[in-house]
Amino acid sequence: MNFEPKWIAWEITRRCNLNCVHCRSSSELDIAGHPDCSLEEAKRMLDDIKSYADPVMVLSGGEPLLRPDVFDIASYGTDLGLRMCLATNGTLVTKETCRNIKESGIKMVSLSLDGSTAEVHDNFRNQLGAFEGTMNAIRLFNEHGIQFLINSSFTKRNKTEAPKIYELVKKLGATAWYLFMIVPTGRGEDIMEELIPESEYEDILNWHYDMEKEEQEMLVRPTCAPQYYRIVLQRSKAEGEKFQRRSLKFSTGGSKGCLAGQLICLVDVDGNVLPCSYFPKSGGNIREQSFQDIWENSKLFLELRNFKGYKDNCGRCEYVNVCGGCRARAYAMTGDYLAQEPFCTYQPRNVTGA
């Protein structure tokens, strides 16, 4: 397998105007000890990354719209030839924001929607009016011809909302809908009792399979749930289907579910290069090393790419090459990122390989 960085999420600020219950970086409006980098430093980082690879760059946070130079960063990346994207909670979007998005060359904007109603979404986001703000952003994006996708995160408090959110997202005109299964990092560690239990985990993934089977227009994809791709193969085979699911092709290149440190990574506000947004362990710091050196030589990243080093059920599983288990969840819940996926109920045959 050829490991090349395809998507890089970049935490250009840890500041945020919301206080969401599951926030991986525990963002808030005033983050002591984690200052934003300067515009010149941001440009240097983009130069460094572009000299080695050509990934999609997602400007994230925190809330990236809190940086007054966010569109200067985006424009610089666009001029380098990078595909620049933006991840926002939507509450700060205005008509001027939309003009800046288009002028800076941003190709896609992602928004979060965790409930089909204000009551559910605002509760999840710990902010009255958050739902209204997101709906306003979507209205403005549609008016200005800006492509957007929707991310939805699920715990016990909103798990029954999945079908309702899916129907709403379709009506809103999103390009894609990504269903996130919470990884308990950051403030997510404080809601461990709210995690969807192992016994119910695959119920949601099987619902997604049935939904995706009928969905023809919008891209739909479970995220932080790599065992979905084992379910896809199992059910497709049982149903005699010959085609490859769109989500499998898009998410894994037909190869693997967990992409952490293999096709994706996160550069945090301090310059640390993490395997993914939910994996709080650094492979190196882009302020001290080149991105290429970290990506190619980090012990952490190399271990994540060695499937034979995975332990227990994941190490024995015949689906390791299409799933691999969520490495971030293994690390968060066991302290060992090579351990078996904690929320997978599948008992593998005693074979290795697909």
Side-chain angles (χ1 to χ4, degrees):
M1 183 176 175
N2 185 21
F3 298 101
E4 296 180 357
K6 299 297 184 184
W7 298 274
I8 298 178
W10 184 11
E11 186 185 65
I12 60 172
T13 184
R14 194 166 287 182
R15 293 175 293 125
C16 189
N17 60 317
L18 299 184
N19 191 36
C20 304
V21 297
H22 66 302
C23 182
R24 59 153 194 89
S25 62
S26 300
S27 293
E28 52 190 36
L29 206 52
D30 182 17
I31 296 290
H34 299 282
D36 301 346
C37 67
S38 68
L39 177 58
E40 290 308 309
E41 178 70 3
K43 291 179 177 180
R44 187 201 67 77
M45 291 183 189
L46 287 172
D47 287 336
D48 179 33
I49 290 169
K50 179 60 178 177
S51 70
Y52 170 62
D54 191 30
V56 173
M57 293 294 302
V58 183
L59 302 181
S60 183
E63 173 48 61
L65 292 180
L66 287 174
R67 278 195 68 141
D69 58 359
V70 57
F71 297 111
D72 295 318
I73 297 172
S75 295
Y76 189 80
T78 296
D79 290 343
L80 288 177
L82 291 165
R83 181 179 172 86
M84 303 300 291
C85 300
L86 179 72
T88 174
N89 60 46
T91 60
L92 303 179
V93 172
T94 64
K95 290 183 179 180
E96 182 181 4
T97 304
C98 294
R99 288 193 293 269
N100 288 330
I101 286 172
K102 301 195 80 168
E103 290 175 2
S104 64
I106 288 173
K107 302 298 184 185
M108 180 71 72
V109 181
S110 68
L111 293 159
S112 295
L113 189 61
D114 304 310
S116 62
T117 65
E119 180 182 8
V120 179
H121 180 79
D122 290 359
N123 174 265
F124 208 86
R125 295 278 155 179
N126 269 335
Q127 180 67 54
L128 290 175
F131 182 83
E132 182 181 350
T134 300
M135 292 299 106
N136 181 62
I138 290 171
R139 179 182 60 80
L140 289 170
F141 290 158
N142 282 322
E143 286 181 3
H144 289 80
I146 294 170
Q147 285 195 315
F148 65 95
L149 62 86
I150 299 292
N151 297 320
S152 300
S153 299
F154 291 95
T155 67
K156 288 180 182 177
R157 75 169 66 186
N158 68 335
K159 66 178 182 179
T160 60
E161 286 283 293
K164 300 174 188 176
I165 296 174
Y166 163 64
E167 293 297 338
L168 176 60
V169 168
K170 287 182 67 175
K171 293 177 182 177
L172 293 172
T175 299
W177 181 52
Y178 293 167
L179 182 155
F180 277 75
M181 303 300 278
I182 290 288
V183 177
T185 59
R187 272 198 295 272
E189 294 179 359
D190 298 330
I191 57 169
M192 292 287 289
E193 72 283 356
E194 286 196 35
L195 297 182
I196 295 170
E198 180 182 338
S199 59
E200 300 175 20
Y201 208 82
E202 292 203 8
D203 293 341
I204 292 180
L205 300 184
N206 275 290
W207 168 82
H208 194 288
Y209 177 93
D210 293 329
M211 173 271 292
E212 183 184 349
K213 197 173 178 180
E214 301 300 322
E215 177 58 51
Q216 298 297 319
E217 298 179 3
M218 184 174 66
L219 175 68
V220 290
R221 171 190 166 197
T223 305
C224 301
Q227 56 268 49
Y228 178 69
Y229 303 104
R230 180 254 304 162
I231 292 172
V232 166
L233 294 181
Q234 287 177 311
R235 290 195 57 183
S236 294
K237 182 178 179 180
E239 294 166 8
E241 295 182 358
K242 303 296 184 182
F243 63 92
Q244 188 177 44
R245 305 299 292 278
R246 286 184 299 149
S247 66
L248 186 64
K249 293 175 67 177
F250 179 84
S251 300
T252 69
S255 59
K256 195 171 185 297
C258 183
L259 309 180
Q262 300 180 43
L263 297 180
I264 66 172
C265 67
L266 168 79
V267 179
D268 76 10
V269 73
D270 301 316
N272 297 307
V273 181
L274 314 179
C276 78
S277 298
Y278 301 96
F279 201 136
K281 186 174 178 63
S282 175
N285 193 291
I286 199 171
R287 294 173 178 171
E288 301 168 359
Q289 302 168 255
S290 70
F291 179 82
Q292 179 176 1
D293 184 29
I294 297 169
W295 184 263
E296 293 186 350
N297 301 314
S298 162
K299 178 177 180 290
L300 171 61
F301 282 27
L302 292 176
E303 286 185 333
L304 291 173
R305 297 167 191 164
N306 178 21
F307 309 151
K308 293 181 180 179
Y310 291 3
K311 300 176 182 177
D312 304 317
N313 278 354
C314 283
R316 293 188 291 268
C317 188
E318 65 270 28
Y319 292 102
V320 66
N321 290 326
V322 295
C323 171
C326 177
R327 298 298 98 210
R329 189 175 290 109
Y331 183 58
M333 301 188 73
T334 73
D336 183 355
Y337 51 79
L338 299 178
Q340 71 182 48
E341 158 70 63
F343 277 19
C344 180
T345 59
Y346 180 69
Q347 293 300 313
R349 302 194 303 267
N350 291 320
V351 296
T352 302

